[in-house]
Every structure is written in C-alpha cells, then in structure tokens.
C-alpha cells in the first residue's frame, strides 16, 4: 500500500505517545446528567489533549466519529486558522486520527468532511491509519445550489470520507457497514410496487415490483446451464430467454417460482419472457443510501439555522446543517451509542446527537465553545424547535456536562497530580493492564479480573483506616484484608505506594507488586 510522506511525519507519529494525559475539569452541569446522559460532554480545550484525556475511559466505546476539520483553504476564518501549511495540516490530522481510531469501537466508523484542497491527501492519510481495506466510501454532499461565479468550473460539493475501525478476515463488508442502518423508504420507492392485473385476477399477496428474470449473456456472462425452456401456464407455449441472454435462476428455482405463482406473464398471460414478482411485504424495510447526497439542506440553510439560534447574521462561518448530521448519525449509530466530534465548531453534531437520543462528546478549543456551543446545547435541553426538532419530535430534556482541560495527570517525573482521585487513577491502571476502557465504577481495591489475573489498586486510602498511610502500603494486614474481602485464587497484580512483603511471600501469594507512581504507565 502506498504511503504519504511529508516534512516532520516521524515527529507526528511520536506526538500521540508523548502527549500527556490531562484531567477533565467539570465546570458546570446543564439539565439531567444521570443515567444515559452521564456521558454527554462539551469539552473546551485543545482537541489533541482532550482526545488523549478520553482514552482511558472511552477507548473502544465510541460508535461514530464525525469531524469537520479546517479545510486548509488559505482563507482566514474568524474562529480558525485555516491557513496551515500543508505538511503542518497533515501532521495535525495524523496525530488526531491515531487517537480517534483508538476511541472507536470495533464496529465504529469515522466520517470526515473536506473539499478538494485536502480531501485526496487525507484519503491516503486515512488509509495509512485505518487500513485501506477499511475505507468504505467517498460521499459527495451538495453543499450549495449553484457554482461560485469566480470559477468557470465551480465546486458545489464536499467530500464525506468514511472509514471503518475493523473488518473481519474474508468479509466483504466491514463491521461498521454490517451495523449501518438503512434509510427510511421514500414515497418514490414505495410507488414502484403496484397491484397488477393477471388472467386469473390480482395476486392476493398484494402489490409487487417486477424483476427481470434474464441476465445479459454478453461479455462472458452467458451460462449454458441457464439457457433452457419453460412453459407459459396460460398459452402452454415453451419460451426461452431472449437472444443474447440467459435466465438468472436455475431450472429448479424457475419451476419453484412458477409453482408458487411468482412469475408474472402479463395482463393477458401472453408474455414471451416472464418477470419475477417481488412483493412489497418482502422488500427491505429501508433503503440503501446513494453515494451522492443532493437531497439535503445546503450550507446556506445551516447558516440560517445558526442565525435563528443566535439572532446574528453569519454567527459562524461554515456550520453544517442539522439534516446532514442527522443522516450520518442515523446510518452510523443506534440510540444510546456514543457520537464524538473533536472539531465541534458551532455544535451541530452534539445538538443533533442529543435530539436523536445518542450519547455524545463534543470538543472545541475556541472561545465559541462557551459563546456558541454551550448556549446552543442549553437551548436543545430546553426544547428548541429549529433544525431537525420537528422531524424527530424533539421536546427537550436530558443534559450534559461542560468541562475544560485540567492539569496533567502525571508530571514530567511521573509523579501523580494531587487532583487525581482513586477512580481516575484506577481507570488509567485498568486501561493500561487490560486495554479496556475504565468506564465502570471504581470504588474498591479490586479493579477487575482480566485473562485470569486480578488487578488491585491501593491509593487514596481506599481501604479506610488500615495503616500505614491509610492502606496505601502493601503490608501483611492489608494483604489479609484483600484476601478476605476480595479473594482471588489466581495471579494478582497489586499497585501501591510501597510493599513491606518479601519476595518469597509475594511469590507464595502469586502477587506481582507495582509501585506508584513509577509503574503507572500509559498505553
């Protein structure tokens, strides 16, 4: 597979490993954040740092990631520096893609909107990170109703590049595609099914669509065994496929269709070539989505949505319409799944995800995280009726947390920040040891059992008043408490500030001791 090369690419590859883990600081709560709403977050801060901060808690849990990154158009935007030199832009996107891939679930997908300035370079970049076999499609979304007057050939569409996280061996479809939802059937699609007249009356099974029973025999597609005669039950004439064609079905299958009256021989029953009946009741309950989306709202409609929300003309330069995000989120996720947007912009992704019953995480570094995104999501909670609200019967409710980036969880010398609580450190330890996200409640020394090994953490006095240092040191008393309260017959890994047990005792107990903070590492 070819790779894209640029200045400082090697440095870009190292960045994701070098970026420190930061704590997320909750600034405010809006609405109800209990239960399914607990994951809903608006994060203000550098998206590289924020993505890294999410890894221990959300790795492998995000079903759909949508990003609308800076297009690198060499023009000046009020909220973005969209004039990054090409290699800088590629470095910026590479490091973030690596983290996004780690956050995606195995059946998750990434959706990226770009124009011709960087889309084709990004396609190669994305293939390198996600694997070429995991590329799904390049969708053309019509974003304006006419070409710009300053070009003789004017661009009216954006690219929407789509990747899957994983594809099983020998599978024609990625795991994401297998989980995608069909689009709702249109009136035009339903109109293809009709009740047709037949010599013995309309079929009692209802309306159907006529499907060709022959296949083009040109270009080597002719199959000798599929050329045979069948008898018209009305005229008793033996008929054969038209010249240059063969039947699509075997003789046995055609006889089965005939016996089940699934062949249509015309109004009078005199057709020379029958058609197969596909009944409306047998059709798929939805429709496949085409690769050209020219039936959705345009950018100008999105600007009108923003103006209605904030009462200011062009309050944001390049918002995406809610209907576009609604289609993506519908295809790529189910209610309750987590949707992430790390270039949140005006907040459309989070707003639509909220209205559609998805959990969501939105990241935006600019001031408009608080001036635009925050009030927009507050309006959603209150039941605002713009965008897709009417079509999804949105009436308000739910809630979200507004967070900022706090201090690094670990300093340059590996010391743990005083702000790190037991549950947070437990999530880091659990993710490092198991590779799984630490989304469960950590409120006891036993973090969990993975591949037969039990993992324990002694930190912040989790064992109460046991001494020394409130149980943060592995002593005989602490070990006895662990064995009594949280027994495990197999291998144990215990994290603590110090161990006062000898090597022979640790070996006898099947314990590997790891010292805080020196042995607390990040994946």
């Amino acid at each position: 597979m070819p790779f894209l090369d640029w200045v400082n690419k090697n440095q870009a590859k190292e960045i994701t490993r070098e970026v420190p883990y930061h704590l997320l600081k909750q600034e405010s709560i809006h609405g109800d954040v209990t239960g399914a709403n607990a994951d809903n977050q608006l994060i203000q801060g550098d998206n590289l740092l924020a993505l890294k901060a999410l890894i221990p808690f959300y790795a492998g849990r995000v079903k759909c990631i949508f990003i609308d990154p800076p297009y690198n158009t060499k023009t000046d935007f009020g909220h973005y520096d969209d004039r990054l030199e090409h290699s800088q832009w590629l470095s910026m996107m590479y490091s973030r893609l690596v983290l996004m891939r780690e956050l995606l679930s195995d059946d998750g997908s990434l959706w990226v909107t770009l124009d011709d300035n960087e889309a084709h370079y990004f396609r190669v970049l994305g293939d390198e990170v996600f694997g070429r076999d995991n590329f799904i499609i390049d969708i053309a979304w019509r974003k304006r109703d006419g070409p710009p007057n300053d070009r003789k050939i004017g661009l009216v569409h954006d690219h929407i590049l789509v990747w899957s996280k994983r594809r099983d061996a020998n599978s024609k479809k990625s795991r994401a595609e297998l989980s995608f939802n069909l689009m709702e059937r249109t009136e035009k699609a339903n109109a293809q099914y009709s009740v047709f007249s037949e010599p013995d009356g309309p079929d009692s099974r209802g309306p159907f669509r006529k499907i060709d029973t022959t296949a083009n025999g040109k270009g080597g597609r002719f199959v000798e065994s599929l050329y045979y005669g069948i008898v018209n039950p009305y005229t008793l004439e033996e008929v054969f496929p038209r010249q240059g064609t063969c039947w699509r079905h075997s003789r046995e299958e055609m006889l089965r269709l005939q016996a089940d009256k699934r062949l249509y021989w015309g109004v009078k029953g005199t057709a020379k070539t029958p058609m197969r009946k596909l009944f409306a009741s047998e059709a798929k309950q939805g429709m496949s989505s085409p690769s050209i989306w020219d039936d959705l709202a345009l950018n100008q409609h999105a600007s009108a949505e923003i103006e209605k929300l904030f009462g200011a003309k062009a309050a944001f330069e390049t918002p995406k319409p809610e209907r576009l995000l609604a289609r993506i989120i519908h295809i790529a996720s189910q209610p309750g799944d987590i949707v992430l947007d790390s270039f949140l912009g005006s907040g459309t992704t989070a707003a639509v995800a909220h209205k559609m019953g998805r959990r969501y995480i939105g990241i935006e570094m600019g001031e408009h995280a608080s001036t635009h995104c925050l009030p927009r999501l507050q309006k959603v909670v209150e039941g605002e009726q713009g965008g897709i609200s009417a079509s999804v019967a949105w009436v308000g409710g739910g809630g979200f947390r507004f967070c900022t980036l706090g201090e690094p969880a670990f300093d340059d010398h590996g010391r743990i920040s005083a702000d790190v609580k037991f549950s947070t450190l437990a999530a880091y330890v659990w993710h490092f040891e198991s590779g799984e996200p630490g989304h469960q409640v950590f409120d006891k020394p036993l973090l969990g059992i993975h591949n037969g090994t039990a993992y324990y953490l002694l930190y912040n006095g989790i064992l109460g008043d046991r001494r020394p240092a409130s149980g943060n040191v592995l002593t005989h008393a602490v070990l006895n408490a662990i064995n009594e309260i949280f027994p495990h017959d197999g291998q144990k890994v215990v994290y603590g500030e110090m161990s006062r047990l000898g090597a022979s005792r640790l070996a006898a107990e099947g314990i590997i001791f790891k010292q805080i903070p020196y042995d607390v590492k990040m994946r």
Side-chain angles (χ1 to χ4, degrees):
M1 186 181 78
F3 293 97
L4 192 64
D5 198 12
W6 66 91
V7 176
N8 295 327
K9 180 179 181 179
N10 290 334
Q11 182 181 358
K13 287 186 172 183
E14 294 295 325
I15 284 177
T16 53
R17 288 188 287 269
E18 296 174 353
V19 171
Y21 286 84
H22 281 251
L23 299 173
L24 292 177
K25 181 182 178 182
Q26 181 174 290
E27 300 289 348
S28 56
I29 293 177
H30 305 269
D32 176 16
V33 294
T34 61
N37 300 313
D39 289 303
N40 294 348
Q41 300 175 64
L42 168 60
I43 302 171
Q44 182 172 3
D46 183 294
N47 57 12
L48 183 64
L49 300 181
L51 287 169
K52 190 70 177 280
L54 293 170
I55 294 293
F57 309 96
Y58 290 95
R61 296 180 60 200
V62 177
K63 187 65 180 294
C64 170
I65 297 179
F66 170 84
I67 59 171
D68 180 27
Y71 282 14
N72 205 17
T73 57
K74 310 301 184 291
T75 57
D76 187 22
F77 286 74
H79 303 290
Y80 287 117
D81 178 7
D82 202 19
R83 296 179 295 180
L84 294 171
E85 197 274 328
H86 181 57
S87 62
Q88 291 179 300
W89 188 90
L90 291 171
S91 292
M92 176 191 73
M93 296 309 303
Y94 183 92
S95 57
R96 286 153 178 81
L97 275 181
V98 170
L99 296 176
M100 290 179 206
R101 186 183 185 281
E102 190 166 349
L103 287 165
L104 276 177
S105 61
D106 282 349
D107 60 351
S109 56
L110 169 71
W111 303 65
V112 186
T113 54
L114 288 167
D115 65 11
D116 281 350
N117 285 284
E118 295 288 5
H120 304 88
Y121 291 95
F122 191 86
R123 164 67 200 275
V124 181
L125 183 69
D127 284 350
E128 181 173 340
V129 175
F130 282 80
R132 188 176 181 183
D133 287 344
N134 286 317
F135 180 75
I136 296 176
I137 200 165
D138 177 1
I139 297 169
W141 166 56
R142 186 182 181 95
K143 65 179 180 180
R144 54 186 300 162
D145 53 7
N149 294 326
D150 59 345
R151 303 291 295 271
K152 292 188 176 179
I153 301 178
L155 190 70
V156 298
H157 77 279
D158 273 354
H159 301 266
I160 304 177
L161 303 172
V162 188
W163 282 270
S164 169
K165 168 72 173 286
R166 198 174 304 283
R167 179 189 297 267
D168 292 327
N170 302 321
S171 175
K172 293 183 178 180
K173 296 180 181 179
S174 65
R175 293 190 186 183
E177 291 175 272
L178 292 172
S179 72
F180 280 175
N181 295 309
L182 295 169
M183 299 301 300
E184 184 178 352
R185 294 187 62 83
T186 64
E187 292 183 6
K188 180 180 179 181
N190 290 331
Q192 297 177 1
Y193 295 85
S194 300
V195 175
F196 294 93
S197 297
E198 298 183 65
D200 47 2
D203 198 307
S204 61
R205 288 168 289 191
F208 60 84
R209 181 162 63 95
K210 295 180 288 185
I211 306 294
D212 197 347
T213 55
T214 62
N216 190 345
K218 296 180 180 179
R221 290 187 290 272
F222 181 84
V223 180
E224 187 74 30
S225 63
L226 295 180
Y227 188 83
Y228 52 84
I230 62 172
V231 176
N232 182 326
Y234 300 107
T235 65
L236 302 181
E237 176 187 6
E238 186 178 29
V239 300
F240 290 82
R242 296 185 302 273
Q243 184 176 0
T245 69
C246 57
W247 300 118
R248 291 181 181 271
H249 308 290
S250 67
R251 185 189 300 269
E252 293 74 15
E253 177 63 10
M254 286 291 278
L255 291 175
R256 187 192 70 80
L257 293 172
Q258 180 84 296
D260 197 26
K261 293 187 176 181
R262 286 177 176 267
L263 295 182
Y264 178 71
W265 293 91
V267 175
K268 297 181 179 180
T270 57
K272 298 296 183 181
T273 303
M275 304 291 281
R276 180 170 64 88
K277 301 176 183 178
L278 177 63
F279 292 98
S281 59
E282 300 170 329
K284 292 188 297 186
Q285 295 306 300
M287 297 176 55
S288 297
S289 176
S291 61
I292 298 176
W293 292 359
D294 56 1
D295 58 338
L296 293 171
L298 309 174
N299 266 343
Q300 66 194 56
H301 299 125
S303 296
E305 290 174 359
I306 296 297
E307 186 176 348
K308 288 181 180 178
L309 284 170
F310 298 105
K313 182 69 174 177
F316 198 87
E317 295 289 345
T318 56
K320 292 294 183 285
E322 290 199 8
R323 285 175 59 194
L324 172 66
L325 268 301
R327 175 169 293 184
I328 291 172
I329 290 172
H330 168 79
I331 292 174
S333 67
Q334 302 287 350
D337 285 339
I338 299 177
V339 176
L340 175 106
D341 186 343
S342 57
F343 292 89
L344 190 58
S346 62
T348 303
T349 304
V352 172
H354 194 118
K355 294 177 184 180
M356 294 179 68
R358 273 63 169 176
R359 295 177 289 167
Y360 58 88
I361 302 171
I363 306 169
E364 183 50 59
M365 69 179 298
E367 282 300 316
H368 54 289
S370 56
T371 61
H372 286 74
C373 301
L374 178 58
R376 181 173 188 175
L377 290 176
Q378 287 176 307
K379 291 175 184 289
V380 171
V381 172
E382 294 165 0
E384 63 91 357
Q385 289 301 297
I388 66 166
S389 293
S391 63
V392 298
W394 178 247
V395 295
F400 65 97
R401 304 173 192 272
F402 179 51
C403 302
T404 57
L405 286 172
E407 296 297 316
F410 309 90
D411 66 18
D412 294 338
H413 303 287
R415 289 188 292 265
I416 302 172
S417 168
D419 293 332
V420 173
K421 306 302 181 187
F422 176 85
S423 59
T424 302
L425 185 62
Y428 291 139
V429 169
W430 179 248
H431 178 62
F432 170 70
E433 293 287 1
S434 70
E436 298 175 354
H439 60 85
Q440 63 266 46
V441 176
F442 293 112
D443 56 3
K444 57 182 181 294
L446 177 60
L447 306 184
I449 299 173
H450 182 71
N451 292 336
T453 299
Y455 294 91
Y456 300 83
L457 174 62
L458 307 176
Y459 181 70
N460 272 10
I462 190 64
L463 279 172
D465 61 357
R466 291 176 177 83
R467 293 293 187 262
S470 296
N472 295 345
V473 175
L474 183 58
T475 64
H476 292 283
V478 169
L479 178 58
N480 290 337
I482 287 176
N483 287 334
E484 179 183 347
I485 306 173
F486 311 104
H488 178 66
D489 291 334
Q491 181 78 54
K492 303 181 183 71
V493 173
V494 179
Y495 281 81
E497 294 179 2
M498 185 183 300
S499 173
R500 292 186 178 175
L501 303 182
S504 59
R505 177 69 188 280
L506 291 175
E509 294 285 346
I511 293 175
I512 297 175
F513 181 79
K514 295 189 177 184
Q515 189 175 10
I516 298 171
Y518 310 107
D519 290 326
V520 178
K521 298 180 176 63
M522 299 296 105
R523 293 178 72 89

